[in-house]
Structures are given as structure tokens and as C-alpha cells.
């Protein structure tokens, strides 16, 4: 009787575990214990870590040297009140300093904190600033990148990405109030793209036109709208997106990066031409950078943890490495290949042999 009860309970546990694996969502787990005629055995699936807020782990570098305000202390104005220049940036005073780390703080007190550059006092020399974001790890975007600008979004900006930890860069998207004038490119929106050209690098004007710095602060790199081209407006057909990820050359790489860079080329002007009599109102200020993404583990890991100073995939399927890019010792090196989203909904683990 006890043996029968134990066996029945075990069967129930196995069934419930299998049911949970089906309801957790696609590619959330790497393996499941299932019942076979000769007992229980592990069934393996393609798997990937859950999305997370990658701003928690990014390393920020700002250049050129001296572009951050406060050394020496400097007054600045706002575009709404250009002749009320009572604000000050002073790197030696914590209450008046605007260092780069304020782009990724939590702002738990409710007070908006932000990084800020020097003002455009050297006009007509360009006011240029680069913000480099590094993770020392391959990541995959899962939602829109959002950059929150205080005192106006840039008139001209470029978002770059790197796939090799900053050794080489390629443009991700161009931003300008006049794309033809700034980059000799026609203005486009993501909504203008189709399934055949979804990975095209575009220039958009929708985040650069002046509409008032208090009303519109956020600049986006739109990821969800690109997903929707395949999965539908409400992303209800994710199978279609995952199928395209496998079949369309370059699609998965498009959403993959190790580093990002913002090249700020021209600050907000307040809807007018540069007014030389008051250059203290022109500068860049960023309060937040959101990068929703997941660790790229080549569909061989359901978890990614921060250890030894960087993010690391917790590899399954007899794979190893920071991105699960090789077979463990004792397995055939040539048998490695990434997991596959197909066939949906569990994919193929492509376990090392």
C-alpha cells in the first residue's frame, strides 16, 4: 500500500512539474523530469534567461575628458527661462554635482538626479559627448531602450552598438530634427519598416523635434515595434517571431550587443537657432538609461548570474563558457551548436554529445 501511494504521489509530482514547465512561458526552463515506460528521465529544451534591467550592471564611460560639468563650477540656464541662470554645477559639492553614475541610480527618494555636461560656451565649436555603456557580456534586447533627457533631447544624436566588447562599432540608429541635413538620410519611423527590412538602420526625427523639455524627455530605440512586425500588435503570435529568429539571416544578431554608445552631436536648441548671446542654456543632461535585455546564452541556459565581476550564463546541455559557446571537457568539441527556437514551443537544446 505504501509503495503504491509513493508511486502515485511521484507520478502526480512528475505530472505537475511537467504542467508547470508548459505554463511558465516559452524557453523559460532547460529541462523537465518526465515519465517514461522505464521510469523517470530528464527531457531537455532550448532555454534562455528572463529579461532584466541591465542598467544595474552597466559600466559607464563618458568622454572627452572634461565634458562633465562642475570643474570648474559653472552656471547654466534652462531653455524655458533662458535668462534665469541661477542654477549651478559644482563637482566639489555633492548637492550641485552631476557625475555620470547618476544616469543609472534608482532615484528612490523621488528627487530626479542627472549627469550633465558643460555648457556650449565654445560655440561654434561643436559640443560633442560620448557615453559608452559596457557589460563585458553578450546581451539580447527584449524591450525598448529608453534614455531620459532633462532640459531637452538632443537635436542630433547617434546610437551605436558593438558586438565585440567595444573594439569595433556600428550605427544602430540616427536621430535628428532634419535627417537629410544631418545625415543625408530620409526620415523614417519603425512603423515604416516591414518584415523584409526590419534590421535596416534608420534615421528618425520623432525624438529630436523640440516640443518642450518638460513634456517630452524620453528618446527610444524601438524594439517592441520591431517584434510586432512578426508577432502582431499585441505580441500574441510569439511563435512567428521565434520562427523568424531562426530563419531570417541577421535578425538575432540585430538585437544582440555587448556595448552601446550614445554620440551626442548637437544639444536641444529650444525650437530656435543658436542664440549666441546666451550659450549657457545649451548642454546635455541625462537622468536615466534603461536597457531591458537578457543574457545571450545561445539557448543553453535558463539563468544568468553576476559573479567574478561580470554576468555569466549558468550553462546547461553540457556546454560551458560565459555565453555557453563551447562543449564541456569530455564532450565532442565539434558537436557544439546553439540551441534552436524550433520546433516551438520548446525548441531544440542541441546538447553537446
Amino acid at each position: 500500500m505504501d509503495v503504491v501511494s509513493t508511486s502515485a504521489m511521484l507520478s502526480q509530482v512528475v505530472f505537475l512539474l511537467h504542467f508547470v514547465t508548459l505554463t511558465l512561458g516559452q524557453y523559460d526552463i532547460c529541462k523537465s523530469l518526465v515519465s517514461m515506460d522505464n521510469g523517470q528521465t530528464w527531457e531537455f529544451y532550448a532555454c534562455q534567461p528572463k529579461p532584466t534591467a541591465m542598467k544595474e550592471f552597466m559600466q559607464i564611460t563618458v568622454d572627452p575628458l572634461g565634458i562633465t560639468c562642475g570643474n570648474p563650477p559653472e552656471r547654466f540656464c534652462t531653455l524655458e527661462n533662458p535668462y534665469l541662470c541661477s542654477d549651478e554645477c559644482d563637482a566639489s559639492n555633492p548637492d550641485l554635482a552631476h557625475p555620470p553614475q547618476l544616469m543609472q541610480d534608482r532615484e528612490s527618494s523621488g528627487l530626479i538626479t542627472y549627469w550633465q555636461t558643460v555648457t556650449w560656451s565654445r560655440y561654434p565649436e561643436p559640443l560633442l559627448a560620448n557615453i559608452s555603456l559596457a557589460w563585458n557580456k553578450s546581451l539580447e534586447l527584449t524591450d525598448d531602450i529608453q534614455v531620459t533627457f532633462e532640459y531637452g533631447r538632443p537635436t542630433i544624436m547617434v546610437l551605436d552598438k558593438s558586438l565585440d566588447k567595444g573594439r569595433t562599432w556600428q550605427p544602430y540608429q540616427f536621430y535628428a530634427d532634419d535627417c537629410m541635413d544631418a545625415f543625408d538620410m530620409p526620415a523614417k519611423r519603425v512603423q515604416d519598416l516591414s518584415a523584409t527590412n526590419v534590421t535596416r538602420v534608420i534615421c528618425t526625427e520623432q525624438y529630436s523635434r523640440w516640443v518642450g523639455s518638460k513634456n517630452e524627455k524620453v528618446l527610444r530605440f524601438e524594439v517592441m515595434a520591431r517584434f510586432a512586425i512578426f508577432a502582431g500588435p499585441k505580441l500574441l503570435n510569439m511563435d512567428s517571431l521565434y520562427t523568424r529568429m531562426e530563419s531570417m539571416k541577421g535578425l538575432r544578431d540585430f538585437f544582440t550587443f555587448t556595448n552601446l554608445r550614445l554620440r551626442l552631436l548637437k544639444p536641444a536648441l529650444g525650437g530656435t537657432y543658436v542664440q549666441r548671446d546666451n550659450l549657457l542654456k545649451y548642454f546635455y543632461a541625462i537622468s536615466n538609461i534603461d536597457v531591458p535585455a537578457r543574457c545571450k546564452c545561445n539557448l543553453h541556459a535558463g539563468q544568468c548570474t553576476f559573479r567574478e565581476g561580470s554576468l555569466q550564463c549558468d550553462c546547461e546541455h553540457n556546454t560551458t563558457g560565459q555565453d555557453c559557446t563551447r562543449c564541456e571537457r569530455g564532450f565532442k568539441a565539434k558537436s557544439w551548436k546553439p540551441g534552436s527556437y524550433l520546433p516551438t514551443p520548446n525548441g531544440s537544446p542541441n546538447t553537446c554529445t
Side-chain angles (χ1 to χ4, degrees):
M1 183 70 173
D2 289 340
V3 173
V4 173
S5 299
T6 302
S7 178
M9 287 180 62
L10 182 58
S11 296
Q12 280 189 313
V13 168
V14 170
F15 172 77
L16 287 172
L17 182 58
H18 187 64
F19 177 76
V20 167
T21 66
L22 295 177
T23 57
L24 278 174
Q26 286 180 300
Y27 314 110
D28 281 342
I29 63 166
C30 299
K31 59 187 177 184
S32 173
L33 192 63
V34 297
S35 293
M36 305 291 286
D37 291 341
N38 57 349
Q40 280 74 45
T41 187
W42 287 108
E43 187 171 272
F44 295 91
Y45 315 119
C47 52
Q48 58 189 4
K50 287 182 169 58
T52 189
M54 286 298 171
K55 80 170 187 176
E56 307 287 337
F57 306 103
M58 67 188 181
Q59 300 294 317
I60 300 180
T61 305
V62 172
D63 66 86
L65 190 67
I67 193 65
T68 298
C69 68
N71 187 21
E74 182 180 12
R75 287 187 307 115
F76 61 93
C77 317
T78 64
L79 289 163
E80 283 92 352
N81 298 295
Y83 299 102
L84 182 63
C85 302
S86 57
D87 294 312
E88 185 178 5
C89 181
D90 185 349
S92 66
N93 184 338
D95 293 330
L96 299 176
H98 296 283
Q101 58 264 32
L102 297 183
M103 288 185 271
Q104 65 184 133
D105 64 334
R106 290 180 177 272
E107 300 178 344
S108 54
S109 65
L111 181 68
I112 295 176
T113 59
Y114 51 91
W115 165 78
Q116 184 177 322
T117 68
V118 297
T119 59
W120 205 359
S121 59
R122 296 186 178 181
Y123 178 86
E125 179 183 322
L127 183 63
L128 307 178
N130 293 326
I131 303 164
S132 299
L133 313 174
W135 287 268
N136 193 35
K137 173 78 181 74
S138 295
L139 306 174
E140 296 174 315
L141 288 171
T142 57
D143 206 332
D144 295 358
I145 298 172
Q146 298 187 56
V147 185
T148 305
F149 287 87
E150 305 297 328
Y151 304 104
R153 296 176 292 193
T155 301
I156 305 176
M157 191 197 97
V158 182
L159 174 66
D160 295 324
K161 78 165 186 175
S162 175
L163 288 165
D164 54 15
K165 300 182 179 179
R167 288 187 289 273
T168 61
W169 295 90
Q170 59 196 69
Y172 225 172
Q173 189 152 307
F174 297 90
Y175 301 82
D177 65 337
D178 187 330
C179 285
M180 285 301 296
D181 182 61
F183 300 112
D184 197 25
M185 298 174 66
K188 284 188 177 295
R189 298 167 64 102
V190 173
Q191 290 88 335
D192 300 327
L193 300 175
S194 65
T196 58
N197 64 3
V198 67
T199 60
R200 175 178 293 177
V201 176
I202 64 171
C203 179
T204 182
E205 296 177 351
Q206 68 189 101
Y207 300 108
S208 303
R209 298 277 176 84
W210 174 255
V211 289
S213 62
K214 291 183 178 179
N215 299 324
E216 293 289 347
K217 296 182 175 184
V218 177
L219 177 147
R220 295 175 182 268
F221 177 76
E222 293 165 281
V223 172
M224 299 303 278
R226 287 177 167 89
F227 287 168
I229 291 173
F230 303 110
K234 296 183 179 180
L235 303 183
L236 297 178
N237 188 10
M238 290 299 289
D239 279 1
S240 176
L241 173 63
Y242 288 128
T243 299
R244 288 297 188 117
M245 287 286 192
E246 290 293 333
S247 62
M248 185 174 174
K249 184 178 180 180
L251 186 59
R252 286 173 72 172
D253 281 348
F254 181 78
F255 297 106
T256 301
F257 63 98
T258 61
N259 301 59
L260 296 171
R261 181 174 65 187
L262 307 177
R263 284 191 282 138
L264 309 179
L265 304 179
K266 190 175 183 180
L269 302 182
T272 65
Y273 294 103
V274 177
Q275 297 176 339
R276 292 170 179 255
D277 61 335
N278 188 0
L279 297 174
L280 300 184
K281 63 181 179 178
Y282 304 122
F283 53 87
Y284 307 104
I286 295 177
S287 59
N288 193 51
I289 300 178
D290 276 320
V291 183
R294 64 164 55 92
C295 290
K296 182 180 179 68
C297 300
N298 289 288
L299 295 178
H300 287 313
Q303 300 288 333
C304 185
T305 54
F306 189 80
R307 58 185 188 272
E308 299 175 6
S310 65
L311 289 163
Q312 308 274 340
C313 296
D314 298 339
C315 301
E316 302 270 2
H317 308 154
N318 305 322
T319 64
T320 188
Q322 188 182 24
D323 299 347
C324 308
T325 51
R326 63 183 188 273
C327 292
E328 287 185 316
R329 182 174 296 180
F331 293 83
K332 292 180 180 178
K334 290 184 178 180
S335 69
W336 184 91
K337 61 179 179 177
S340 171
Y341 287 116
L342 301 178
T344 59
N346 294 323
S348 304
N350 295 331
T351 304
C352 284
T353 56

